[in-house]
Amino acid sequence: MQRRAKHLPADERRSVTVEAVIDLAGSQNPSEITTAAIAKHMSVTQGSLFRHFPTKDAIWEAVMEWVSKRLLARIDASVQGIASPLAAMEAMFMSHIAFVAEHPGVPRMIFGELQRAEATPAKRMVQTLLRRYGERLHGLIERGKAQGELDLALDTEAAALLFIGTIQGLVMQSMLAGDVSTLHRDAPGVFVIYRRGIGTGL
């Protein structure tokens, strides 16, 4: 990436910049990533970055847009052709885990943005991502209830929150351990417990 970044069309330069930020966020606090560090990682000048992004916040917004598009596309693809809503939820869970394992800088970026007091464009992008993600979960949960896979008395909102919170918990544990491989190791067993909690076979 560093060698190719010097001579790229504008759209590709923007994409490579986003990937550089995600790479850096995988090994350091996103709030400490400077435009100088991004430029150094890409082997370009800061001036060349600002020809494509007017501000650092614009870079962060582009990063969150990249994350949102790719994560939602990944989970949408994972449930295609799966008739069982509960099986689709499991596929969605595992595909999310795989996405984070491939891009460990992403949760650091998301957590960092949500902690910011000000309503930045990047923070709004994260909030929109979470809303759209939740809508997909709500749809699967309601289908599961209608098809008899999930308890009719199940609180849809609580089940969706627990789904997302479970993934966040696994991610936090992997970050504390400093080892993303724990995600793949722990996720299947954790989902079994979640599934038992929301299913009808209690």
Side-chain angles (χ1 to χ4, degrees):
M1 178 171 63
Q2 293 178 343
R3 289 191 298 272
R4 293 185 291 109
K6 292 181 179 179
H7 307 289
L8 291 175
D11 287 346
E12 289 185 50
R13 171 64 64 82
R14 288 173 60 87
S15 178
V16 170
T17 303
V18 166
E19 292 170 11
V21 173
I22 292 173
D23 285 347
L24 289 168
S27 59
Q28 66 184 89
N29 186 335
S31 66
E32 297 174 355
I33 297 174
T34 63
T35 53
I38 298 168
K40 181 178 179 181
H41 190 73
M42 297 171 62
S43 295
V44 299
T45 65
Q46 286 190 70
S48 69
L49 285 185
F50 289 119
R51 284 197 292 271
H52 301 282
F53 297 95
T55 64
K56 182 180 176 182
D57 280 345
I59 297 175
W60 256 237
E61 182 179 7
V63 170
M64 289 301 107
E65 182 179 10
W66 185 97
V67 170
S68 180
K69 286 182 178 179
R70 280 160 180 76
L71 177 56
L72 292 178
R74 174 75 69 94
I75 64 174
D76 286 345
S78 74
V79 303
Q80 289 299 310
I82 301 179
S84 161
L86 196 49
M89 290 177 69
E90 182 172 5
M92 184 174 171
F93 188 94
M94 296 306 172
S95 69
H96 190 155
I97 290 295
F99 181 84
V100 172
E102 292 168 21
H103 308 288
V106 165
R108 291 173 180 269
M109 297 287 296
I110 290 176
F111 292 149
E113 284 304 316
L114 291 176
Q115 289 173 7
R116 295 181 66 173
E118 64 272 30
T120 65
K123 183 176 181 178
R124 288 193 293 271
M125 187 74 69
V126 172
Q127 291 168 332
T128 298
L129 165 61
L130 293 174
R131 176 176 56 79
R132 290 177 177 169
Y133 195 111
E135 289 168 354
R136 286 160 168 78
L137 278 173
H138 278 72
L140 286 172
I141 293 167
E142 288 300 320
R143 277 178 48 208
K145 291 163 73 171
Q147 294 179 24
E149 286 191 343
L150 303 181
D151 191 336
L152 279 174
L154 179 68
D155 184 327
T156 298
E157 180 65 25
L161 287 172
L162 183 59
F163 183 100
I164 296 171
T166 300
I167 292 174
Q168 291 173 334
L170 284 167
V171 170
M172 290 298 295
Q173 289 296 320
S174 74
M175 291 170 67
L176 288 170
D179 183 4
V180 295
S181 69
T182 63
L183 289 170
H184 289 301
R185 183 194 69 200
D186 298 338
V190 169
F191 189 83
V192 167
I193 296 171
Y194 174 80
R195 179 174 181 148
R196 288 174 182 166
I198 65 173
T200 55
L202 302 178

